[in-house]
Amino acid sequence: MEITVSICCITYNHEAYIADTLKGFLMQETSFPFEIIIHDDASTDKTTEIIKEFAREDSRIKPIFQTENQWSQGIKPSPSFVWPRAKGKYLALCEGDDFWTDPRKLEKQVSFLESNPNFVGCFHNVSIINTFDEKKSLFYNENKKSRTFGISRIICKNPIPTLSVIFRKDTFKVPSDYDKYVVGDWPIHILNAQHGDYYYMNEVMGTYRIHSGGIHQGGINWDANKKKRYLIKILFLLKSLKSNLSKPNLVLHFRILFDEFRLLYYKLMTVKL
């Protein structure tokens, strides 16, 4: 029986969280087969052992264990190791410190995409747990008036929580310079959205964790120098995407101009008088 969904998970030193992540995958109630491809980037804690324990109990888990950390060598694990192994028609993303809470999440999303071939992907609302103060919130606090997200809307700001998304595997090609991108999922959605829209489901079906080891926590208290360096990387990403789009996009053009003005501002702030 052919695989319908490939769950793609990357993890590193997530021993406190990875069991919840895997349980969220395994509890999925679907009318179709799915696989779980999990990439452990040479964790130095007990993440590897936990994955092996789960994999012994369920053959749907297909782990990839690195002996050397790929991320530190400038290699993004997903396009290099995970996606090429995926056999599913759809890819569902979730990192090893987040988890799914609805057992019918995949069933709902696949059912929508099968019935709406004009959409390339769909995503849903998620709850947020801040482990610093244990406060809980929602990614979207209000019902979106428009549940359709096209390319221009996605270019303005990434509206898609990684753990919530599922998309068609055959709709995009990984750019040759993808490993140099400062973020991984946002450019995927921009490239995908050339071929169709994303649909937002107003249901909470997963949880995103904010914690000290989280990949996006560094920017909270950045000074002007760090913001400047980050913007340089964002501009590289946007200009690369511009060359990879099949046709010009005016919103992307103005987004690049806007970030160039922001970069100039931070450069002026860091000039020593």
Side-chain angles (χ1 to χ4, degrees):
M1 200 169 184
E2 292 186 358
I3 301 294
T4 300
V5 176
S6 295
I7 301 171
C8 300
C9 178
I10 55 175
T11 186
Y12 175 72
N13 283 358
H14 287 151
E15 66 174 356
Y17 314 116
I18 193 64
D20 287 341
T21 305
L22 289 168
K23 288 175 183 176
F25 298 158
L26 294 172
M27 75 174 181
Q28 291 301 301
E29 301 169 357
T30 65
S31 57
F32 50 80
F34 63 86
E35 64 179 354
I36 301 163
I37 305 174
I38 182 165
H39 180 278
D40 176 29
D41 204 10
S43 291
T44 57
D45 60 4
K46 294 181 179 179
T47 300
T48 303
E49 288 75 13
I50 295 170
I51 295 171
K52 287 180 177 179
E53 184 179 344
F54 274 85
R56 281 193 292 268
E57 299 295 324
D58 199 306
S59 62
R60 291 175 296 179
I61 299 175
K62 301 172 182 178
I64 302 168
F65 297 114
Q66 298 290 353
T67 56
E68 294 183 8
N69 186 274
Q70 302 300 303
W71 195 276
S72 65
Q73 298 177 49
I75 300 172
K76 283 188 169 57
S78 292
S80 297
F81 302 103
V82 180
W83 298 338
R85 288 172 167 80
K87 298 176 181 178
K89 179 180 179 181
Y90 301 101
L91 302 184
L93 308 185
C94 184
E95 296 182 353
D97 49 354
D98 303 323
F99 60 99
W100 297 344
T101 54
D102 188 330
R104 290 183 54 79
K105 166 193 152 68
L106 289 182
E107 184 72 26
K108 293 173 184 177
Q109 291 184 290
V110 169
S111 176
F112 174 83
L113 291 173
E114 289 287 286
S115 300
N116 297 273
N118 53 313
F119 284 87
V120 295
C122 64
F123 64 103
H124 54 78
N125 205 353
V126 301
S127 60
I128 301 171
I129 296 178
N130 189 327
T131 61
F132 295 103
D133 55 18
E134 298 303 320
K135 288 184 178 179
K136 296 182 180 180
S137 59
L138 292 177
F139 192 88
Y140 288 113
N141 290 311
E142 57 184 29
N143 192 2
K144 308 301 289 182
K145 292 181 180 179
S146 173
R147 296 194 180 188
T148 300
F149 286 73
I151 185 169
S152 295
R153 199 172 179 186
I154 295 171
I155 286 171
C156 291
K157 182 181 179 182
N158 183 13
I160 303 173
T162 302
L163 74 144
S164 74
V165 73
I166 180 171
F167 55 86
R168 302 180 194 277
K169 188 177 72 174
D170 61 355
T171 53
F172 81 105
K173 292 182 180 179
V174 178
S176 58
D177 49 3
Y178 182 83
D179 280 339
K180 298 178 183 178
Y181 291 176
V182 67
V183 293
D185 51 349
W186 184 35
I188 293 170
H189 305 321
I190 293 173
L191 292 171
N192 273 342
Q194 297 179 97
H195 310 290
D197 296 332
Y198 279 78
Y199 182 77
Y200 169 66
M201 293 180 163
N202 191 36
E203 295 183 58
V204 177
M205 294 191 276
T207 298
Y208 171 75
R209 283 191 175 101
I210 297 175
H211 59 94
S212 58
I215 193 168
H216 297 301
Q217 289 314 298
I220 294 176
N221 296 308
W222 281 354
D223 60 19
N225 271 310
K226 287 186 177 180
K227 289 178 180 177
K228 179 178 68 176
R229 290 194 292 270
Y230 183 74
L231 266 176
I232 290 171
K233 294 177 181 178
I234 287 292
L235 280 166
F236 172 83
L237 181 158
L238 293 171
K239 290 175 181 178
S240 170
L241 287 177
K242 186 177 181 180
S243 66
N244 279 283
L245 292 180
S246 57
K247 58 183 180 180
N249 182 281
L250 192 60
V251 174
L252 179 57
H253 174 73
F254 281 111
R255 171 64 199 263
I256 290 171
L257 287 176
F258 174 70
D259 279 349
E260 284 179 337
F261 277 113
R262 290 174 66 205
L263 178 59
L264 178 61
Y265 169 73
Y266 288 122
K267 283 182 176 178
L268 290 173
M269 283 185 66
T270 56
V271 171
K272 293 182 179 180
L273 300 177

